[in-house]
Amino acid sequence: MIILGIETSCDETSVGILNENGHLLTNIVATQVDLHARYGGIVPEIASRQHVLNIEPVTAAALSSAGLKLGDISLVAVTYGPGLAGSLIVGLNFAKGLASSLRVPFVTVNHLEGHIWAAWVTTDSFSPAIKSVYNYEEKFHKPLLCLIVSGGHTELVLMHGHGEFTLIGETKDDAVGEAFDKVARVLGLRYPGGPEIQKLSIYADEEIEPFPRAWMAGSFSFSFSGLKTAVINRARDFGFYPYRTSGNRPEKRVLANFAKAFQDSIVDVIVKKTILAASHYDCGGIVMVGGVAANSALRNTLAESSKLPVYVPPVDLCTDNGAMIAMGGLMSYNYGSKSSMSLDVSPNLRIS
Ligand code: KG4
Ligand code: ZN
């Protein structure tokens, strides 16, 4: 069985292909980062029009890199939400056309569940330990705590088995990736800000006064907008924000110390709250997924601090990709799910 997964919920046009064991055959991602960089964030209309241009060539490139033909596809999986409506529509309609012309089943996937399923994908160089402990054919013996950290979401979700989720906490304002992107802009870094902040923080040479942590005590909710404001205020005090009015570019080390202190604050809050939640709900393990799960400080600190096993997909499968959607589609299909050709996109879809 060959599963082709299509992801177009935001600014990446991606097609991933897996076999029936969830083994990765290829994962092509056409990023639009350069198109949106000058705006400091995603412009929805530009994103959807670029998906229109990219979707067919990316599909052709994925098939060619896996040495497959269109006729080899046995299942088409596609993201139908949450995300930008105009972007989702391109992928969903392309998937419907592909599945109906090939006369193969078609399954829609919740993008957030797709991020979680990325942890089950095997690659030539990575065999996920989660697969043997959380066997997807059974109800889990203990809930798995899923930490979803991306540009649009920051959620703690209990996973009880296939398709059974309970949301236990989420951000009350900015998503964590959004905070990385906004703070990167304050520091004069390009979009997307997460990888830039991670790279810059390596050059930190001094522990500056820590930025605040919003603990949201008594709940598993998060809040990052106060942290963002604290960075802005201190950058203003240092005289380098906003650039255009001050014209004052600080030394790289000053920016690096800011970047590190900001990242430390994020990592501290996320790791401590996640570990607390895992113990509170008597979880058997923790899986961390989404674009921000690519962050090495977060990966290392969570793994070092947790007594429970921590599962994190390889970095390439953390950020948006088609392979995670193919994996979600394979799971749903194995559980008897097929989607209707009249299904619409669901931009505000939640996990439940
Ligand atoms: O999951 P994703 O690719 O797209 C959404 O579904 O939102 O996540 C994108 C987010 C961006 O905000 C980006 O800055 C952040 O993930 N990100 C990172 C890193 N790589 C990507 N944040 C921190 N450290 C990274 N290494
Ligand atoms: Zn995502």
Side-chain angles (χ1 to χ4, degrees):
M1 193 174 173
I2 295 292
I3 305 101
L4 181 131
I6 298 174
E7 159 60 37
T8 65
S9 68
C10 193
D11 61 335
E12 322 277 13
T13 318
S14 180
V15 173
I17 302 180
L18 304 177
N19 69 15
E20 71 275 12
N21 299 319
H23 190 87
L24 185 71
L25 303 180
T26 192
N27 192 35
I28 306 285
V29 183
T31 177
Q32 304 181 12
V33 157
D34 291 338
L35 275 178
H36 299 278
R38 79 182 96 140
Y39 304 103
I42 312 291
V43 181
E45 187 183 330
I46 294 178
S48 52
R49 295 178 71 164
Q50 197 59 33
H51 286 307
V52 172
L53 299 177
N54 288 348
I55 188 76
E56 195 283 328
V58 169
T59 306
L63 286 167
S64 145
S65 85
L68 297 168
K69 304 179 296 303
L70 272 176
D72 295 321
I73 299 171
S74 7
L75 175 68
V76 177
V78 64
T79 308
Y80 75 114
L84 300 169
S87 291
L88 291 163
I89 284 169
V90 178
L92 182 66
N93 272 346
F94 187 82
K96 284 181 181 178
L98 195 58
S100 62
S101 64
L102 296 173
R103 297 176 196 281
V104 297
F106 134 91
V107 181
T108 52
V109 177
N110 178 323
H111 179 82
L112 300 172
E113 293 184 26
H115 270 302
I116 295 172
W117 287 118
W120 273 260
V121 174
T122 62
T123 72
D124 289 343
S125 56
F126 183 73
S127 181
I130 198 169
K131 243 179 141 161
S132 52
V133 186
Y134 283 92
N135 184 339
Y136 45 74
E137 283 161 7
E138 293 166 13
K139 266 225 156 134
F140 298 160
H141 57 296
K142 275 186 174 194
L144 175 67
L145 182 64
C146 308
L147 168 65
I148 307 172
V149 277
S150 73
H153 295 84
T154 308
E155 299 187 357
L156 280 170
V157 178
L158 298 175
M159 184 175 185
H160 310 280
H162 178 81
E164 266 196 72
F165 300 95
T166 312
L167 178 68
I168 57 166
E170 62 187 329
T171 180
K172 294 292 173 202
D173 39 57
D174 291 349
V176 61
E178 194 181 348
F180 267 101
D181 296 337
K182 287 176 175 169
V183 164
R185 214 170 346 158
V186 174
L187 301 183
L189 306 171
R190 52 177 273 137
Y191 175 86
E196 298 298 312
I197 287 184
Q198 174 177 323
K199 272 186 256 160
L200 181 61
S201 66
I202 294 165
Y203 298 94
D205 62 356
E206 192 190 328
E207 288 252 339
I208 60 171
E209 188 192 336
F211 284 115
R213 278 106 167 111
W215 293 111
M216 314 288 283
S219 80
F220 293 112
S221 308
F222 297 94
S223 164
F224 298 107
S225 73
L227 170 61
K228 172 193 68 192
T229 308
V231 176
I232 290 175
N233 289 342
R234 207 183 297 171
R236 206 174 262 135
D237 293 346
F238 272 61
F240 67 82
Y241 182 79
Y243 281 128
R244 257 166 299 197
T245 50
S246 70
N248 175 14
R249 273 201 86 85
E251 287 174 70
K252 184 173 183 176
R253 54 170 289 279
V254 173
L255 292 174
N257 290 334
F258 263 68
K260 166 101 177 12
F262 163 77
Q263 186 175 268
D264 285 350
S265 170
I266 297 258
V267 170
D268 195 19
V269 170
I270 290 184
V271 167
K272 288 192 176 133
K273 293 200 75 144
T274 302
I275 288 176
L276 205 62
S279 135
H280 183 85
Y281 288 99
D282 191 24
C283 294
I286 299 170
V287 62
M288 176 170 72
V289 299
V292 182
N295 185 276
S296 52
L298 187 55
R299 293 167 83 94
N300 295 337
T301 313
L302 184 60
E304 284 159 12
S305 316
S306 171
K307 292 203 184 78
L308 292 173
V310 174
Y311 310 104
V312 189
V315 167
D316 289 355
L317 297 178
C318 286
T319 43
D320 289 351
N321 67 87
M324 70 187 203
I325 302 306
M327 193 72 201
L330 172 61
M331 291 299 140
S332 294
Y333 182 76
N334 285 343
Y335 279 83
S337 207
K338 272 193 211 169
S339 300
S340 151
M341 279 289 169
S342 60
L343 194 108
D344 194 4
V345 297
S346 188
N348 300 317
L349 187 66
R350 295 180 58 88
I351 203 159
S352 62

